[in-house]
Amino acid sequence: MIDKFLKTKSWSTKITNNFLEALKDYSDDDKCQIIFEVAKTIMNHGNDTNLKCAETVLIYATQHFFDVEDNNSKALIYYRLGELYELHLQDYVKAYTNYKKYELNNIQFGGVHSILLRVLLLRDNFSYSEEMEKELKLSYGEIDLGLRKDRIYENIGSLIMAQKEENDELCEKLIKRIKAIVKADELFFLDLIFRKDTVTDSLKPPQRLLDYVNKL
């Protein structure tokens, strides 16, 4: 039953309603799992209508499907909402709000502080805050893949701290490193070389990040 919705490339209000109706016999945990998967597929199809439908089903889940046994079911929905707002709608305020809710409900997945650091920097236009400093320090202790998308935001956070401390030598070093990470991402063939298991080491920087780096 769910497969036909995964194969649907153009969503509408009618299809969204049919999808939610089709979930009625599932447990709330299963509904959240299914919406987590289907919403990603809708988002990948792009266009404003599909993105609106993805937002609708995810928000509907927060309002109606949270009588769950496992809080990680809630975490999945909030994570996907964070992705929607960060990667597709560039609404970093809403992205941060939902990633914070993901953090509060998540007891299974790592890397949350790297995520929060990234979105905080994007939300606040790469400015210092105590919140940013806290997430930066916590992100250092996380086990991640060391990919460019993780490294660049940690390096930018470190740069902001070095600027605050007026450490010019460290600032110069970090600026060179940040620009090198972005430059490397522009070279297409590196995606075929730098891999961690099956994960492609691609930054895919948002324009806000490129604008910041270009001003350094």
Side-chain angles (χ1 to χ4, degrees):
M1 180 278 297
I2 300 303
D3 285 347
K4 73 175 183 178
F5 292 105
L6 289 170
K7 294 175 182 177
T8 301
K9 294 184 178 180
S10 296
W11 281 61
S12 64
T13 300
K14 181 179 180 180
I15 293 171
T16 300
N17 290 337
N18 289 342
F19 170 64
L20 293 172
E21 177 64 20
L23 295 176
K24 65 181 182 181
D25 293 330
Y26 290 87
S27 70
D28 278 7
D29 285 279
D30 287 341
K31 288 172 184 175
C32 288
Q33 294 275 350
I34 292 167
I35 288 175
F36 176 75
E37 180 180 358
V38 172
K40 181 65 171 180
T41 301
I42 304 172
M43 288 156 55
N44 286 342
H45 292 321
N47 82 50
D48 291 344
T49 302
N50 281 341
L51 294 176
K52 184 63 178 177
C53 290
E55 182 182 33
T56 297
V57 298
L58 288 164
I59 290 176
Y60 191 91
T62 69
Q63 296 170 337
H64 299 278
F65 300 152
F66 272 12
D67 184 14
V68 294
E69 296 182 5
D70 183 357
N71 271 9
N72 278 306
S73 298
K74 296 181 183 180
L76 291 174
I77 297 297
Y78 285 128
Y79 178 83
R80 193 64 86 212
L81 274 167
E83 270 194 332
L84 172 67
Y85 291 123
E86 179 196 357
L87 303 179
H88 297 274
L89 301 179
Q90 289 77 53
D91 186 333
Y92 300 116
V93 173
K94 288 184 178 179
Y96 179 74
T97 297
N98 281 281
Y99 282 138
K100 280 297 289 184
K101 292 179 180 178
Y102 163 67
E103 177 193 25
L104 291 172
N105 288 281
N106 169 44
I107 56 173
Q108 183 174 350
F109 308 103
V112 65
H113 296 294
S114 294
I115 294 170
L116 291 172
L117 172 65
R118 179 179 73 238
V119 180
L120 268 174
L121 288 169
L122 290 166
R123 187 196 72 180
D124 297 343
N125 288 308
F126 304 98
S127 61
Y128 172 81
S129 68
E130 291 183 359
E131 199 172 20
M132 185 281 294
E133 182 177 357
K134 182 192 78 171
E135 295 300 343
L136 174 65
K137 290 176 178 177
L138 290 170
S139 75
Y140 288 149
E142 291 182 327
I143 299 174
D144 58 35
L145 297 173
L147 300 176
R148 284 198 291 272
K149 67 178 182 179
D150 301 310
R151 297 200 315 271
I152 192 163
Y153 291 100
E154 286 189 353
N155 277 286
I156 289 172
S158 297
L159 173 60
I160 292 169
M161 292 303 303
Q163 290 170 334
K164 182 175 182 290
E165 295 163 2
E166 299 182 350
N167 187 335
D168 294 339
E169 183 178 351
L170 181 56
C171 286
E172 184 178 351
K173 184 183 297 184
L174 288 166
I175 289 171
K176 288 181 180 178
R177 188 180 300 166
I178 290 163
K179 289 185 174 182
I181 294 171
V182 173
K183 183 63 178 177
D185 198 70
E186 295 171 355
L187 303 177
F188 173 79
F189 70 89
L190 288 179
D191 280 345
L192 303 177
I193 298 172
F194 292 103
R195 292 178 182 269
K196 306 291 188 290
D197 298 323
T198 60
V199 181
T200 302
D201 189 10
S202 179
L203 175 60
K204 297 180 181 178
Q207 190 59 46
R208 185 170 295 192
L209 172 61
L210 292 177
D211 291 343
Y212 170 77
V213 173
N214 288 336
K215 291 177 182 177
L216 291 175

